[in-house]
């Protein structure tokens, strides 16, 4: 198992679109294991493969307190969106920044498990938000894209300034 490097905004590689997984083989299982280890190490509740520069449609999620209920979603696809809800979101690719985003309140989605089974699910609350956030990552979209251009520009400048300070300190 390995902890992978999580890309940070404004890295252009976060804008890449992930491709569907054709065959769930040992390599895909190893990627999923490494993604889970990375998500737990970073104290996240989700992680999409594009965040670790792997352009495959794989997402891991664990909303449990004990961090012992991992979900691996291969080729996840939302089939129905209902209602609207605003929730405060964070992102492992945009460290130390949280903001409120409006998304669908209730979703229906499907995915393949690592055992090659197709699962259909209906959900709301944090899981619905997290699935939408992670599928956005697979499509090269970040939660900050929903903010106003002014807010996003300010955030980019702040991050670039911090990066320059970090580089000087080295
Ligand atoms: O995809 C990611 O970057 C992971 C992200 C998932 C997410 C959190 C909150 C709303 C939508 C999607 C995180 O895990 S952010 C970090 C975090 O630790 C966290 C944020 C809110 C609740 C619980 C944990
Ligand atoms: Zn994220």
């Amino acid at each position: 198992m390995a902890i992978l490097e999580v890309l940070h905004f404004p890295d252009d590689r976060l804008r890449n679109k992930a491709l569907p997984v054709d065959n769930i083989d040992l390599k895909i299982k190893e990627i999923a294991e490494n993604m889970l280890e990375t998500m737990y190490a970073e104290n996240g509740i989700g992680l999409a493969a594009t965040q670790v520069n792997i352009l495959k449609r794989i997402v891991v999620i664990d909303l449990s307190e004990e961090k012992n209920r991992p979900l691996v979603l291969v080729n996840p696809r939302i089939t129905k969106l209902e209602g609207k809800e605003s929730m405060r979101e964070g992102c492992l690719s945009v460290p130390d920044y949280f903001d409120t985003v409006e998304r669908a309140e209730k979703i229906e989605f499907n995915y393949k498990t690592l055992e090659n089974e197709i699962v259909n699910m209906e959900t709301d609350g944090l899981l619905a938000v997290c699935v939408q956030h992670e599928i956005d990552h697979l499509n090269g979209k970040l939660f900050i894209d929903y903010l106003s251009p002014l807010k996003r520009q300010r955030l980019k400048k702040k991050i670039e300034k911090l990066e320059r300070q970090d580089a000087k300190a080295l």
Side-chain angles (χ1 to χ4, degrees), residues 19-25 28 55-58 74-75 112 116:
L19 295 170
V21 173
D22 298 326
N23 185 25
I24 301 175
D25 54 16
I28 296 297
L55 299 185
K56 294 187 188 298
R57 299 189 82 82
I58 306 171
V74 178
N75 297 338
K112 265 193 175 182
N116 218 23

Side-chain angles (χ1 to χ4, degrees), residues 139-152:
N139 295 327
K141 189 163 179 146
L142 301 175
F143 84 110
I144 52 173
D145 297 344
Y146 294 98
L147 308 178
S148 71
L150 182 65
K151 256 190 175 180
R152 207 167 49 248

Side-chain angles (χ1 to χ4, degrees), residues 9-21:
F9 173 79
D11 194 315
D12 285 341
R13 291 173 292 177
L14 287 166
R15 300 305 182 176
N16 288 332
K17 223 175 150 173
L19 295 170
V21 173

Side-chain angles (χ1 to χ4, degrees), residues 43-46 51 89-93 98 129-130 133-134 137:
N43 292 319
I45 55 169
Q51 292 179 275
E89 297 190 17
C91 181
L92 298 178
S93 295
F98 295 84
V129 170
C130 199
H133 178 115
E134 301 309 336
H137 273 304

Side-chain angles (χ1 to χ4, degrees), residues 5-170:
E5 184 199 352
V6 178
L7 304 177
H8 287 170
F9 173 79
D11 194 315
D12 285 341
R13 291 173 292 177
L14 287 166
R15 300 305 182 176
N16 288 332
K17 223 175 150 173
L19 295 170
V21 173
D22 298 326
N23 185 25
I24 301 175
D25 54 16
L26 277 179
K27 182 74 199 153
I28 296 297
K29 289 180 184 174
E30 190 188 332
I31 291 171
E33 284 295 314
N34 290 340
M35 285 175 61
L36 280 168
E37 195 178 2
T38 305
M39 176 185 73
Y40 291 132
E42 298 263 346
N43 292 319
I45 55 169
L47 185 73
T50 40
Q51 292 179 275
V52 288
N53 201 27
I54 295 173
L55 299 185
K56 294 187 188 298
R57 299 189 82 82
I58 306 171
V59 161
V60 295
I61 293 176
D62 191 341
L63 301 187
S64 68
E65 286 282 319
E66 302 79 16
K67 300 289 164 210
N68 60 0
R69 298 194 63 190
L71 269 179
V72 177
L73 318 184
V74 178
N75 297 338
R77 209 165 65 87
I78 293 173
T79 53
K80 195 172 173 188
L81 299 158
E82 239 181 274
K84 292 261 169 272
E85 188 180 40
S86 294
M87 207 182 265
R88 207 168 147 76
E89 297 190 17
C91 181
L92 298 178
S93 295
V94 190
D96 306 321
Y97 185 78
F98 295 84
D99 217 323
T100 304
V101 174
E102 185 184 87
R103 295 190 187 268
E105 182 191 5
K106 201 169 160 186
I107 60 166
E108 285 177 25
F109 67 106
N110 59 50
Y111 62 92
K112 265 193 175 182
T113 66
L114 288 180
E115 289 71 44
N116 218 23
E117 288 159 348
I118 297 172
V119 176
N120 287 286
M121 258 177 103
E122 187 183 309
T123 193
D124 58 8
L126 186 56
L127 181 57
V129 170
C130 199
V131 168
Q132 292 175 78
H133 178 115
E134 301 309 336
I135 292 178
D136 270 354
H137 273 304
L138 298 181
N139 295 327
K141 189 163 179 146
L142 301 175
F143 84 110
I144 52 173
D145 297 344
Y146 294 98
L147 308 178
S148 71
L150 182 65
K151 256 190 175 180
R152 207 167 49 248
Q153 191 55 29
R154 279 193 189 140
L155 175 65
K156 189 164 178 257
K157 287 217 168 97
K158 192 173 131 191
I159 290 171
E160 283 168 349
K161 190 174 167 191
L162 286 172
E163 278 172 358
R164 280 198 301 276
Q165 285 169 353
D166 285 352
K168 261 191 197 166
L170 286 177

